[in-house]
Amino acid sequence: MNANGWIQLSLFVALLAAMTKPIGRYLVQVLDPDGRTWLDPLVRPLERLTYRAMGIRPDREQDWRQYARSVLILGLVGIAFTYAILRFQKHLPMNPAGLDSLPPHLAFNTAVSFVTNTDWQSYAGESTMSQFSQMVALTLHNFLSAATGMGVAAALVRGIARRGATTIGNFWVDLVRVTYYLMLPACTAFAVFLVSQGVVQNFSPNTTARLVEPTTITVEKTDASGAVVKGADGKALTEEKTIDTQTIAQGPMASQVAVKMLGTNGGGYTNANAAHPFENPTPLSNFIQMLSIFAIASGLTWYLGHATGNQAHGWAVWSAMALLFVAGTLVAWWAEAAGNPIHQALGVAAGDGNLEGKEVRFGIFSSALFATVTTDASCGAVNSMHDSFTAIGGLVPLFNMQLGEVVFGGVGAGLYGMLVFVVLAVFIAGLMVGRTPEYLGKKIGAFEVKMSMLALLATTVAILGFSAWAAASPWGIAGLNNAGPHGLSEILYAFSSAAANNGSAFAGLTASTPWYDTTLAIGMLAGRYLMIVPILALAGSLARKKAVPAGEGTFPVSGPTFVVLLIGTVVLVGALNFLPALALGPVVEHFVALQGTLR
Amino acid sequence: MKDLLQGIRAALAATIVLAVACCGAYPLVVTGLARICFPKRAAGSLVTGSDGTVRGSTLIGQGFAAAKYFHPRPSAAGTGYDALASGGSNLGPTSKKLADSIAANIAAYRAGNGLATHTPVPADAVTASASGLDPHIAPANAELQVARVARERGLAPERVRQIVLESTETPVPRFLGEPGVNVLRLNLALDRL
């Protein structure tokens, strides 16, 4: 744990704090249908034209049912759209490598994955997806799913702020305004910056390079039809093969990387994602990418404070997030810097930490920080392979996702997830002092608590239910890359990532099978929509309430007491739900590693 | 019902219009700006040889096994440094497969560089990177390979050390990451001598 790491961590938190207000102010304008931005002269006409094409009246607000219906319809249309493109990839343009269409289960999994902002990838991008599929079928949802999340968060904030109201905004207006005024301009600037660091951006076919030193490898001998030739002893014959070229992937990567980070999507252009030198070439590009994952989510806490007229509350929520984030980073950093005792006994230099699955340019700290950021948020991009982290280092991203990704979280999703915990915290505080719980002047009744619990239970049941099923089934075991407790961690990680809409993986798991593709897709749908609908119901119910003036016994939703209570609620709910499963996976593995037992 | 139909129409129109904006205009604008501002980087930071053929990208590692070259990290990308199959080993901390491969890598590294049996070996030299295409090795790893490369090429170790230093890429600002020696740049520079 060196000085550079401490400097980087301090700078990261300081910059995040400094960005929160400016981004929050801008969000206030974007999420208000009549808001003004410097882009108005250019974008307003386009915005009006879009509403006309969609046949909607931007001045007409929706109640929570209409809002929820709109979210669901857009999701359904989006899944169908992407599924169709992937199934017909072979016949569509911009496929210079001549890649085949995807099988049904993979197309379904991928469509659901991108629409739900998960971006779980059961495929390797550079060898599966044509440029057209990457650019249209996938990138579209990087924008739409981010805008959807922010819309739902804004609707919930409106519900909290409004009094005696029936409507909580118009989903279509939120969708279009977030895309036009926030995502597109921010991504354009960000993408150009990424190119300046070396991220590729072109529409060229892949480049074939002549290797400086041709390498020789041993491969299984195949006949003309591609079948493996077997010798008299029944074993496959091998032959020497010389490789003298390297095929370098090209394509519009910078534009996709920018939105995958800012929109907390996380779906990489390449299989190695943000570890690939083309997606994340320098330590500077890495730092800015990490900041961009948290940027909008952090700004949304200011939006919350502004909309509710209680900025101290917004900052209290921000502080709870920041403390959870720093705690997670320190644990992951410590574990990875300490390294793997088994490998050190073999002769690996102890001071180097655990470098398996990490890039030299990022080193230990920037890898541990990225892993924490990407799972605190629902991003899921990775700059190191979480599967090869030490047991405790890998537990941090896993637990982060299981907490519901409320530490800054996905754009929008983080805030509405955290507000569910706020409602619960207020409820628990109310029970402790024996008063009717209130949140910003609104009484929290049975309906609000039920909706909050429903939102929480959806992901919990999806994670634990599917993990248990997979762990006890042949199809679940068949995909494992690692045996013993680490195998269970791989399964648990996959379903946590799916249900929390994260998308990162303990990537050793071979998940591109019909069983995994389908169960993971259901987990993603549950984690997304079984959360959004109760949250919108909560928003609708809060909006209708009249405010009661704050009295002597009102529990303040700002200040250190509230921050501690909120953190306690998040950690306690997460721990109660998931500690038993974690004890069987990463915790057991930690002790196994200390003992030096191999699997 | 009317609400539903209106919703479907809005969703279809939104999908098409926003696809044009986000999947057509946006990448085209970025590509245009990239080509004007950073043409070489947008094209993949390619290195061409004296005969004009592409020899690789300074960002993408290549496999080297001959004693006269500096060796990169072990790679789990395809059969090694396959740039269409990026990825790590994804083997966990208690994996026997991983421990065995690290033990074999350590033995080969010590033998190749004339190190004593109990010398600690730099972690990056024996572990696979995340992308399998890591272009860098740590400076300490390069230093241990200097003697071998200098001997094979008949160069003074000081001269080789100087080229290693010239091929070392330091993060800007320094505290954001770790310095790394770019193996492809280094080996190309050695071949040019």
Side-chain angles (χ1 to χ4, degrees), chain A residues 30 122 143 162 183 185 247 271 279 308 316 369 402 415 440 479 519 554 588:
Chain A
V30 171
S122 272
F143 286 93
R162 288 179 182 179
M183 297 306 290
T247 308
N271 188 44
E279 291 201 34
T308 56
L369 179 62
Q402 293 172 341
L415 184 67
L440 293 168
T519 47
T554 304
V588 167

Side-chain angles (χ1 to χ4, degrees), chain A residues 1-19 287 290-291 294 318 322 325-327 329-330 333 365-366 369 373 408, chain B residues 175-176:
Chain A
M1 298 178 84
N2 55 9
N4 283 334
W6 290 107
I7 299 174
Q8 190 181 163
L9 182 58
S10 315
L11 185 74
F12 187 86
V13 175
L15 283 178
L16 194 65
M19 283 158 51
F287 186 74
M290 289 187 293
L291 263 185
F294 275 176
W318 188 93
F325 155 66
V326 170
T329 306
L330 293 181
W333 182 19
F365 177 73
S366 300
L369 179 62
V373 168
F408 296 102
Chain B
F175 57 84
L176 290 185

Side-chain angles (χ1 to χ4, degrees), chain A residues 151-489:
Chain A
V152 173
L156 178 56
V157 171
R158 290 179 194 125
I160 294 165
R162 288 179 182 179
R163 284 150 194 202
T166 51
T167 62
I168 53 172
N170 183 318
F171 173 66
W172 304 113
V173 174
D174 288 338
L175 176 78
V176 169
R177 286 186 63 86
V178 167
T179 309
Y180 283 173
Y181 289 96
L182 178 66
M183 297 306 290
L184 278 172
C187 287
T188 306
F190 186 26
V192 174
F193 162 77
L194 288 172
V195 178
S196 82
Q197 296 299 300
V199 181
V200 301
Q201 176 73 23
N202 57 56
F203 293 105
S204 317
N206 294 342
T207 306
T208 305
R210 193 161 55 82
L211 287 179
V212 176
E213 185 198 352
T215 51
T216 311
I217 54 160
T218 310
V219 292
E220 288 183 341
K221 202 171 176 176
T222 52
D223 59 21
S225 64
V228 179
V229 181
K230 290 190 174 159
D233 58 352
K235 284 190 183 158
L237 294 178
T238 56
E239 58 184 346
E240 301 260 291
K241 198 174 147 194
T242 305
I243 296 181
D244 49 10
T245 59
Q246 183 182 44
T247 308
I248 296 171
Q250 300 281 4
M253 291 191 206
S255 51
Q256 184 168 327
V257 170
V259 68
K260 97 173 176 200
M261 295 297 172
L262 268 174
T264 62
N265 294 283
Y269 197 96
T270 60
N271 188 44
N273 209 307
H276 195 295
F278 272 180
E279 291 201 34
N280 195 359
T282 66
L284 182 62
S285 71
N286 187 60
F287 186 74
I288 305 293
Q289 286 188 16
M290 289 187 293
L291 263 185
S292 70
I293 294 173
F294 275 176
I296 294 174
S298 183
L300 275 169
T301 62
W302 198 89
Y303 171 76
L304 169 72
H306 177 87
T308 56
N310 186 345
Q311 207 46 266
H313 175 52
W315 282 110
V317 171
W318 188 93
S319 307
M321 291 173 166
L323 287 169
L324 283 166
F325 155 66
V326 170
T329 306
L330 293 181
V331 174
W333 182 19
W334 165 79
E336 294 310 295
N340 186 328
I342 296 172
H343 301 163
Q344 283 157 4
L346 294 172
V348 172
D352 287 354
N354 173 28
L355 272 181
E356 178 70 29
K358 295 191 181 62
E359 301 281 299
V360 166
R361 63 191 179 284
F362 305 137
I364 297 293
F365 177 73
S366 300
S367 301
L369 179 62
F370 199 112
T372 312
V373 168
T374 197
T375 51
D376 274 343
S378 76
C379 184
V382 294
N383 82 346
S384 53
M385 293 303 150
H386 298 179
D387 209 348
S388 297
F389 271 35
T390 60
I392 299 300
L395 184 140
V396 169
L398 182 55
F399 193 52
N400 278 341
M401 295 188 300
Q402 293 172 341
L403 291 182
E405 292 171 342
V406 292
V407 180
F408 296 102
V411 286
L415 184 67
Y416 63 66
M418 192 52 134
L419 288 176
V420 165
F421 280 110
V422 169
V423 169
L424 281 185
V426 169
F427 174 65
I428 291 168
L431 288 184
M432 285 194 289
V433 297
R435 279 183 53 99
T436 312
E438 276 169 35
Y439 175 36
L440 293 168
K442 304 235 171 123
K443 289 212 182 325
I444 300 295
F447 183 77
E448 286 75 29
V449 175
K450 275 186 210 158
M451 288 301 120
S452 301
M453 285 314 297
L454 211 58
L456 275 179
L457 282 174
T459 36
T460 307
V461 170
I463 293 172
L464 293 177
F466 280 123
S467 295
W469 184 14
S473 309
W475 62 264
I477 308 289
L480 295 180
N481 188 38
N482 287 280
H486 199 77
L488 180 68
S489 300

